[in-house]
Amino acid sequence: MYCMEDTQVARTIQLNDGTRMPVLGLGTWKSSLLPRTSVQGAVEAAIAAGYRHIDTAYSYGNEVEIGKALRSKMQQGIIRREDMFIVSKLWCTHHAPEDIPVCLNKSLNDLQLDYLDLYLVHFPVGLKKMGDELFPKKDGKMLTSDIDYVDVWRGMEAIQASGKVKSIGVSNFNILQLERLLALCMVPPAVNQVELHPYLVQTELIEFCKSKNIALTAYSPFGSPARPPELFRGDTDPHKLLEDPVVAEIARKHRHSTAQVLLRYHVQQGIAVIPKSDKPHHILENTKIFDFSLTEEDMRALRGLDRGWKACLLDDVKSHPYYPFV
């Protein structure tokens, strides 16, 4: 159904609550390592290039800059609020019921918005709240909390009911965690945002989400090559995915870049994708994925690269019972 050999793939995905999410978005993680102005510049360039889906999070520390970009483009008359699909995420230190609205309101204020289109639980493991620390530690050990993500989800249902977020979803949840939410909660997650690329194919998770009508968004579609080098994982790291000879050969055949092939791989499966870039020519190049199509043979070759390599692990909390990547 999704691997149509013509170039027609939908530019939006209908979520299980009836709203539509643009299939291509701009990712902004790691942008806190860039000069402040470059995040604002990237978002403005993306809107000018036609992006209408912007992905951020409380923990990225860049929502003020993104808010300025949105405000600027609205004032120029390029976009209206309802044209945009803005996604943010609840951070792990704000899993207590009273902290969920606090985290959301901080994001809304920084973004200069009165509602979000999609709000995600960033990670199923909670962390202790210690001031404004994103990663609270004691004696070098991450301080986790034992708040159940099912209770966090009930708090998400409450803020959706308040009207401040249109849709609610999760990020980095595995199949068992999604099954538990579906069994115990009123509102099913609209989206699960996870790391996906040909080195991390996750067929079972994709099939499960499709069967439950949970949309998928792929982060780190290029294997996160712009991470700080100290976060690389040696020989089992996907950061060289853009240089893979199989990807390069498919790109050459279609006269497109390897980046465009890796993005097309997702949208052709009905999966949204949020590449990160702060370079205007890459931001524009990443939009040109709707004028060609990968064959079934191309898709098989790309899936055949699967080696279970993850860029984003958060292994400091891997002993926690809710750690998702086991």
Side-chain angles (χ1 to χ4, degrees):
M1 175 185 165
Y2 285 101
C3 282
M4 295 168 284
E5 297 220 357
D6 60 25
T7 57
Q8 287 306 302
V9 300
R11 301 285 184 113
T12 59
I13 291 171
Q14 182 155 10
L15 304 183
N16 58 23
D17 58 12
T19 50
R20 300 198 78 91
M21 172 170 76
V23 73
L24 175 68
L26 180 76
T28 64
W29 181 60
K30 289 189 306 295
S31 294
S32 57
L33 300 166
L34 299 168
R36 285 280 179 233
T37 49
S38 76
V39 182
Q40 183 177 343
V43 174
E44 290 188 23
I47 292 169
Y51 289 72
R52 293 296 176 263
H53 171 176
I54 309 292
D55 181 87
T56 183
Y58 171 88
S59 65
Y60 298 172
N62 60 15
E63 291 179 316
V64 168
E65 289 71 47
I66 292 170
K68 286 178 183 165
L70 294 171
R71 183 64 45 211
S72 155
K73 288 293 170 195
M74 285 184 219
Q75 283 166 350
Q76 291 169 28
I78 312 282
I79 49 163
R80 300 163 303 171
R81 171 65 186 96
E82 57 268 30
D83 300 328
M84 298 301 296
F85 191 91
I86 309 298
V87 184
S88 189
K89 308 180 193 83
L90 174 76
W91 185 238
C92 310
T93 50
H94 287 68
H95 280 188
E98 65 276 14
D99 291 331
I100 296 172
V102 173
C103 194
L104 170 65
N105 288 334
K106 172 85 164 75
S107 290
L108 287 172
N109 288 335
D110 286 354
L111 290 163
Q112 300 181 60
L113 299 175
D114 45 23
Y115 71 90
L116 291 173
D117 296 277
L118 176 62
Y119 198 46
L120 305 178
V121 179
H122 205 147
F123 202 76
V125 178
L127 297 172
K128 286 254 161 50
K129 196 156 186 299
M130 290 174 57
D132 289 333
E133 290 285 323
L134 289 177
F135 296 101
K137 288 185 173 166
K138 190 179 179 198
D139 306 325
K141 261 188 63 124
M142 197 81 84
L143 296 172
T144 56
S145 78
D146 51 10
I147 298 173
D148 190 333
Y149 55 83
V150 167
D151 295 322
V152 179
W153 188 250
R154 292 188 176 123
M156 296 287 282
E157 292 175 337
I159 56 171
Q160 182 183 36
S162 78
K164 285 186 173 182
V165 302
K166 296 272 169 90
S167 301
I168 52 175
V170 295
S171 183
N172 301 299
F173 274 51
N174 64 31
I175 293 174
L176 285 170
Q177 292 170 333
L178 293 170
E179 280 184 322
R180 217 170 138 244
L181 285 189
L182 292 170
L184 296 173
C185 299
M186 304 279 290
V187 179
V191 171
N192 187 18
Q193 184 184 120
V194 294
E195 181 177 348
L196 287 173
H197 45 71
Y199 287 172
L200 188 69
V201 172
Q202 305 217 65
T203 309
E204 280 179 35
L205 180 66
I206 292 173
E207 286 176 0
F208 176 82
C209 289
K210 288 249 154 59
S211 75
K212 301 297 182 190
N213 200 12
I214 298 169
L216 281 159
T217 299
Y219 72 71
S220 299
F222 309 140
S224 198
R227 269 170 299 150
E230 65 269 17
L231 293 181
F232 286 165
R233 285 170 221 294
D235 294 338
T236 59
D237 193 283
H239 71 279
K240 285 198 157 78
L241 178 58
L242 284 163
E243 302 158 33
D244 187 285
V246 173
V247 183
E249 179 51 33
I250 293 170
R252 194 188 58 75
K253 182 174 82 174
H254 290 284
R255 298 194 174 135
H256 277 74
S257 68
T258 53
Q260 289 166 332
V261 165
L262 291 169
L263 297 176
R264 178 72 193 189
Y265 164 80
H266 295 296
V267 302
Q268 202 162 300
Q269 297 180 77
I271 295 172
V273 65
I274 46 170
K276 184 223 141 234
S277 180
D278 55 313
K279 298 181 178 65
H281 63 287
H282 284 158
I283 288 170
L284 185 59
E285 177 190 297
N286 290 345
T287 66
K288 301 191 186 307
I289 56 173
F290 300 101
D291 61 348
F292 76 108
S293 191
L294 299 169
T295 65
E296 197 40 65
E297 187 190 357
D298 295 333
M299 294 298 282
R300 263 200 307 274
L302 290 168
R303 286 195 194 102
L305 296 172
D306 190 16
R307 47 201 71 175
W309 288 2
K310 274 196 167 72
C312 303
L313 276 171
L314 202 64
D315 22 19
D316 290 1
V317 298
K318 66 169 176 274
S319 59
H320 194 282
Y322 298 147
Y323 184 70
F325 310 136
V326 280

